[in-house]
Amino acid sequence: MRTKTTARRSFLLGAGAFMAAPAILKNSRAYAATPTLRVGHVSPRTGPLAGFAEADEYVLGGIEKAFAGGLENNGKTWNVEIISKDSQSNPNRAADVAADLILGDEVDIVVAASTPDTVNPVSDQAEINEVPCITTDCPWQPYFFGRNGVPGEGFASTYHFFWGLEDIIGAFLDMWGQSGVAKKVGGLFPNDADGNAWGHPELGLPTPLADAGYDLVDPGRYQPLSDDFSNYIAAFKDAGCEIVTGNMIPPDFATFWAQAAQQGFNPKVVTIGKALLFPSVIESLGDRGDGLSSEVWWSPSHPFSSSLTGTSASDLAGGYSAATGRPWTQPIGFKHALFEVVADVIRRAEDLEDPEAIVSAITGTNLDTIVGNVNWANGPINNVTKTPLVAGQWQKQGDAYDLRIVANSAAPNIPITADLKILG
């Protein structure tokens, strides 16, 4: 069996480095009175994806408290050290800090979240170095196919839980079907891993929307951080689009939405992934944030509790707001769930010094978490398992916006909290 230490030593020697002494010292950890297992965490704390990491400090603080007494494995208590690094919303930086965690900090498990720009490069580094890796907050298609995954083969060390494009399409169609508006949809897809997956003719939105009777107008990929959406707006107006959908970073949606108003384009339903997930973005749009819609992966209304702390979704969201003075955000639940899975894996692994044993424990996961059940035996493809998804709309409540659940056909156990409103 190839151990973690020998795999990394081979990699480093091949690169012309020599780190045998630290690697040998690492093997002695299991014989310490209280050995330490290191978890590397990568997240976009800064840059255009920083909204995904807004709650990191709060979540990690809570996890560190939960881990403070150590975790038991095979009758022995292990300390758990979390080393968190900022990807700066840059895929190259994400790969670099993942390599630092693996080769410099010599972490035992890597976790990452927040779009393919973070998840994919981190997973690739873990796969190359044979380090167990768990990720979330990225639809499974850009995670799997964006990493050149082969169905039936998959990956050796990297595992992912989240929903897929088929789920977001179902949630959007469920919501749009209530609206009664024309089935003409304008598509906004950036030239990045997410946008190319969402706009893919077979794997993305076009075919399922056509099958449901919707006409998708897709003018082509735009470059992220574009400053001009005039051609897209003109195409949508000419086609009579009453729905706009896509996957955008917040600055791009803000630019598009301002130019749509300037150019007299007034769709009746606007459902955008990624950009419209966060209350800070909606608040920045003023009155034009009211009625915008998006997918809902997690909310205070979700009927789930933490396997680690027993905290309900409602209490976790409320605790964040009470501690920070800010509204809850969807990544809170998934960042917490990452470490629920880590804790469960640590407790069940046959040998925490053996990465293959850790991977085996990951594949054997069947855990009810604060975002739902995580069980890789039930996934749609190798290395992937899914969590539930519903659709929601931002509606103004007094002086603040709240993301209300308006469609739940795929997950009726997650309650509807409001009726869909038409824009304008």
Side-chain angles (χ1 to χ4, degrees):
M1 179 180 293
R2 193 179 193 206
T3 67
K4 171 170 54 188
T5 303
T6 58
R8 291 181 188 169
R9 188 181 298 135
S10 296
F11 178 87
L12 290 168
L13 287 173
F18 185 75
M19 293 182 65
I24 291 170
L25 289 173
K26 186 173 182 180
N27 267 350
S28 68
R29 290 181 314 157
Y31 302 101
T34 306
T36 297
L37 183 136
R38 292 177 176 170
V39 180
H41 170 254
V42 182
S43 185
R45 296 285 190 103
T46 57
L49 300 176
F52 283 89
E54 179 183 334
D56 275 12
E57 185 176 349
Y58 175 79
V59 173
L60 290 175
I63 295 299
E64 286 170 353
K65 287 180 182 177
F67 286 177
L71 297 176
E72 186 173 308
N73 172 272
N74 291 319
K76 188 166 192 174
T77 299
W78 284 68
N79 291 327
V80 180
E81 178 186 0
I82 299 169
I83 306 171
S84 183
K85 298 198 175 185
D86 179 15
S87 72
Q88 300 176 2
S89 301
N90 183 302
N92 294 327
R93 168 74 177 174
D96 288 345
V97 297
D100 287 345
L101 287 166
I102 292 166
L103 302 174
D105 297 300
E106 294 193 331
V107 297
D108 302 276
I109 301 172
V110 176
V111 298
S114 310
T115 82
D117 287 340
T118 310
V119 166
N120 287 10
V122 172
S123 298
D124 286 344
Q125 286 293 322
E127 187 74 11
I128 290 168
N129 289 289
E130 301 177 359
V131 176
C133 178
I134 305 166
T135 54
T136 191
D137 286 15
C138 164
W140 71 258
Q141 286 90 343
Y143 164 82
F144 189 87
F145 295 111
R147 299 177 55 218
N148 299 313
V150 177
E153 296 180 12
F155 308 104
S157 302
T158 51
Y159 289 79
H160 187 73
F161 66 96
F162 207 50
W163 41 265
L165 296 181
E166 70 278 17
D167 302 302
I168 203 166
I169 292 165
F172 286 4
L173 291 175
D174 184 18
M175 177 168 56
W176 298 344
Q178 305 173 31
S179 69
V181 305
K183 293 187 173 183
K184 290 272 190 176
V185 183
L188 289 165
F189 306 118
N191 186 22
D192 62 15
D194 256 342
N196 291 326
W198 282 53
H200 191 281
E202 288 83 32
L203 301 175
L205 272 67
T207 296
L209 261 58
D211 291 344
Y214 287 81
D215 181 12
L216 177 66
V217 178
D218 180 2
R221 305 296 160 265
Y222 69 86
Q223 292 304 312
L225 298 176
S226 175
D227 61 2
D228 186 5
F229 288 90
S230 298
N231 291 340
Y232 294 82
I233 293 167
F236 298 162
K237 288 175 69 175
D238 289 346
C241 293
E242 295 193 346
I243 301 171
V244 172
T245 195
N247 185 282
M248 312 177 79
I249 58 175
D252 287 342
F253 179 77
T255 300
F256 163 77
W257 198 222
Q259 292 176 358
Q262 293 164 3
Q263 296 172 33
F265 177 50
N266 300 299
K268 296 179 179 179
V269 178
V270 175
T271 308
I272 301 291
K274 192 184 295 186
L276 303 185
L277 296 174
F278 307 115
S280 57
V281 174
I282 301 301
E283 290 164 0
S284 73
L285 299 173
D287 290 340
R288 282 181 60 76
D290 194 18
L292 299 175
S293 50
S294 187
E295 75 275 17
V296 182
W297 351 314
W298 183 82
S299 77
S301 299
H302 277 52
F304 308 127
S305 297
S306 168
S307 63
L308 185 60
T309 64
T311 303
S312 68
S314 177
D315 286 345
L316 182 63
Y320 171 76
S321 295
T324 65
R326 297 194 294 267
W328 63 273
T329 68
Q330 297 194 50
I332 293 171
F334 278 84
K335 293 292 179 71
H336 182 93
L338 265 178
F339 291 96
E340 287 186 71
V341 176
V342 166
D344 180 63
V345 166
I346 290 172
R347 290 176 175 133
R348 290 186 295 103
E350 290 186 5
D351 180 1
L352 288 174
E353 283 291 292
D354 179 7
E356 291 185 14
I358 295 175
V359 168
S360 180
I362 294 172
T363 62
T365 298
N366 183 3
L367 184 68
D368 291 326
T369 75
I370 204 158
V371 300
N373 184 254
V374 175
N375 182 350
W376 276 281
N378 294 334
I381 204 165
N382 309 70
N383 305 85
V384 169
T385 188
K386 297 205 298 182
T387 50
L389 187 70
V390 292
Q393 184 178 46
W394 291 98
Q395 297 183 3
K396 201 162 191 178
Q397 308 291 315
D399 294 330
Y401 286 104
D402 189 27
L403 182 58
R404 314 297 295 274
I405 296 170
V406 297
N408 70 345
S409 292
N413 59 323
I414 299 170
I416 286 178
T417 59
D419 294 327
L420 179 71
K421 300 190 305 183
I422 301 302
L423 292 175

